[in-house]
């Protein structure tokens, strides 16, 4: 069922939600959280589809906030709220409210959203694109216990990582971090099977891919070893190599779907390591609402250790780049500063 409301209010939207649930014969509210999606018209469809798919695992009230910026000064003064309500089969396993805020009302979205939040239920805010610099201080982010951003969608992903580190607050997370969960699990399991001291590591992937950088920072933070970043044509993250005293551990995924795990003294194994859709990433993040301390430690560890690329040299058909991500970072920065001062 879909209901369109024009020039409406939060109170009328709540009344329409109650009436719609009664009309479809399900007056009870069995949702576990409120998911607030802050987006624009261009990205609203994809974000809502991902949220509806994830609601099969987490029945939610989904509130989509679309700020319609008016062009003329007169139109900007005219505040108006339009809403689209979806319940039943049109809203996944929960219910959906799409809010379009016009004029001055776009600057006061929190006053519209607050009355629509489910009582006594957690609130999660998600910015698929154009996340604020400090999500916790954003008026809508302040309503949420969990705030989800995606540095991959930023114009300059690596700069965005530094912003995320500088403004981190408990409850912040990043879908670029969520994308490497299978990689972290597989590497941890490999080291459990072959316990040995790791001497160094290499992470291979696309340039300016925040997931590759986060994995490199995680390895450097957890293992305390220098981590080398090398470039590949993708897709995404393609390989991780761990040099240990007992041999080499390599996890290689050249096609974005099937990976090969190679360990010294053991036969090679094929493992499923496909690139996941946004709905799967979102569902994973909604499983936990407590602060992610490992993400915090990782993103803060790398903020001053992510150096620029050094000399690139041809390796086969691709290029190789070193980034001083681990223990080598401070020395690299001192060398660069000394070189600049001598010019």
């Amino acid at each position: 069922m879909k209901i369109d409301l024009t020039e409406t209010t939060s109170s009328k939207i709540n009344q329409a939600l109650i009436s719609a649930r009664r009309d479809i014969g399900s007056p009870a509210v069995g949702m576990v959280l409120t998911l607030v999606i802050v987006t624009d018209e261009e990205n609203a469809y994809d974000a809502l589809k991902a949220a509806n798919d994830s609601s099969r695992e987490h029945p939610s009230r989904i509130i989509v906030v679309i700020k319609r910026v008016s062009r003329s000064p007169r139109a900007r003064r005219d505040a108006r709220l339009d809403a689209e309500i979806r319940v039943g089969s049109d809203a996944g396993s929960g219910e959906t409210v799409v809010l379009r805020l016009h004029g001055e009302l776009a600057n006061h979205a929190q006053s519209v959203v607050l009355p629509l939040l489910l009582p006594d239920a957690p609130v999660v805010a998600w910015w698929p694109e154009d996340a604020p610099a400090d999500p916790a201080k954003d008026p809508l982010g302040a309503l949420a216990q969990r705030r989800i951003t995606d540095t991959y969608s930023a114009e300059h992903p690596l700069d965005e990582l530094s912003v995320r580190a500088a403004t981190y607050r408990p409850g912040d997370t990043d879908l670029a971090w969520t994308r490497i969960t299978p990689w972290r699990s597989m590497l941890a399991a490999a080291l459990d099977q072959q316990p040995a001291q790791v001497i160094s590591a290499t992470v291979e992937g696309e340039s300016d891919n925040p997931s590759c950088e986060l994995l490199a920072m995680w390895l450097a933070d957890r293992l305390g070893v220098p981590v080398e970043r090398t470039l590949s044509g993708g897709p995404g993250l393609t390989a991780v190599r761990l040099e240990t005293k007992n041999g080499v551990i390599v996890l290689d995924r050249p096609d974005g779907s099937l990976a090969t795990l190679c360990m010294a003294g053991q036969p090679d194994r094929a493992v499923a390591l496909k690139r996941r859709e946004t709905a799967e990433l979102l569902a994973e993040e909604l499983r936990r609402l407590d602060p992610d301390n490992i993400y915090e430690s990782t993103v803060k560890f790398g903020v001053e250790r992510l150096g620029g690329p050094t000399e690139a040299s041809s390796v086969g058909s691709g290029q190789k780049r070193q980034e001083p991500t681990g223990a080598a970072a401070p020395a690299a920065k001192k060398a660069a500063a000394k070189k600049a001062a001598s010019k």
Side-chain angles (χ1 to χ4, degrees):
M1 175 184 290
K2 294 183 180 180
I3 302 173
D4 290 323
L5 301 174
T6 57
E7 297 188 21
T8 187
T9 64
S10 298
S11 177
K12 291 179 181 178
I13 294 172
N14 267 321
Q15 292 174 7
L17 281 169
I18 295 171
S19 298
R21 286 198 300 267
R22 287 175 177 168
D23 289 343
I24 65 173
S26 61
V29 179
M31 290 159 286
V32 297
L33 58 87
T34 303
L35 176 61
V36 180
I37 305 174
V38 188
T39 185
D40 53 22
E41 292 286 1
E42 181 182 356
N43 299 287
Y45 175 82
D46 290 337
L48 187 53
K49 183 179 185 303
N52 282 336
D53 290 344
S54 69
S55 72
R56 298 170 185 169
E57 185 176 335
H58 310 279
S60 314
R61 173 175 288 180
I62 301 170
I63 302 175
V64 183
V65 179
I66 302 174
K67 300 178 182 181
R68 301 291 296 270
V69 180
S70 303
R71 295 183 177 180
S72 67
R74 182 176 180 180
R76 284 195 292 270
R77 288 194 298 268
D78 295 333
R80 189 176 91 243
L81 172 63
D82 297 334
E84 178 184 331
I85 297 173
R86 305 178 187 180
V87 294
S89 59
D90 293 316
S93 299
E95 56 192 22
T96 300
V97 181
V98 180
L99 304 174
R100 290 181 172 86
L101 285 66
H102 302 260
E104 287 294 328
L105 193 60
N107 298 323
H108 305 280
Q110 72 278 10
S111 63
V112 178
V113 171
L114 186 59
L116 300 176
L117 302 178
L118 290 173
D120 303 320
V123 179
V124 179
W126 175 33
W127 291 267
E129 303 271 346
D130 299 325
D134 192 341
K137 290 186 178 179
D138 181 84
L140 288 172
L143 301 175
Q145 289 79 43
R146 190 81 162 162
R147 295 166 295 276
I148 305 173
T149 58
D150 190 356
T151 53
Y152 189 79
S153 65
E155 185 176 357
H156 303 288
L158 302 191
D159 293 340
E160 191 74 6
L161 275 181
S162 298
V163 173
R164 293 287 150 252
T167 62
Y168 176 84
R169 298 291 185 278
D172 291 355
T173 192
D174 185 353
L175 292 186
W177 171 253
T178 316
R179 289 184 180 95
I180 62 173
T181 299
W183 286 84
R184 294 189 296 119
S185 300
M186 192 64 64
L187 292 170
L191 288 174
D192 284 341
Q193 296 175 38
Q194 185 173 302
Q197 181 181 351
V198 178
I199 303 170
S200 65
T202 302
V203 175
E204 178 185 283
E206 292 176 319
S207 176
D208 293 333
N209 187 306
S211 296
C212 299
E213 308 300 333
L214 282 168
L215 185 59
M217 288 187 277
W218 174 71
L219 290 169
D221 183 31
R222 296 288 99 184
L223 300 176
V225 298
V227 179
E228 179 182 312
R229 269 283 283 121
T230 60
L231 300 185
S232 72
L237 184 60
T238 52
V240 176
R241 179 186 180 94
L242 302 179
E243 297 279 354
T244 76
K245 290 189 173 182
N246 293 347
V248 181
I249 298 174
V250 179
L251 185 59
D252 185 28
R253 187 192 66 179
D255 61 356
S257 178
L258 190 65
T260 303
L261 178 62
C262 307
M263 301 173 62
Q266 297 187 22
D268 295 351
R269 285 178 287 172
V271 293
L273 205 62
K274 70 180 183 68
R275 292 165 62 89
R276 297 182 293 169
E277 300 292 335
T278 304
E280 297 176 77
L281 302 174
L282 186 61
E284 178 184 326
E285 284 300 334
L286 295 180
R287 289 182 200 127
R288 58 174 300 169
L289 299 175
D290 57 316
D292 190 340
N293 297 325
I294 304 299
Y295 167 68
E296 176 188 4
S297 176
T298 297
V299 74
K300 287 184 175 180
F301 177 89
V303 66
E304 63 258 342
R305 292 175 169 83
L306 276 176
T310 59
E311 294 182 3
S313 59
S314 297
V315 180
S317 59
Q319 285 187 321
K320 182 176 180 180
R321 183 188 74 177
Q322 281 193 337
E323 288 190 357
T325 312
K333 285 196 170 184
K334 287 181 182 179
K338 185 177 180 181
K339 183 178 180 181
S342 64
K343 290 184 177 180

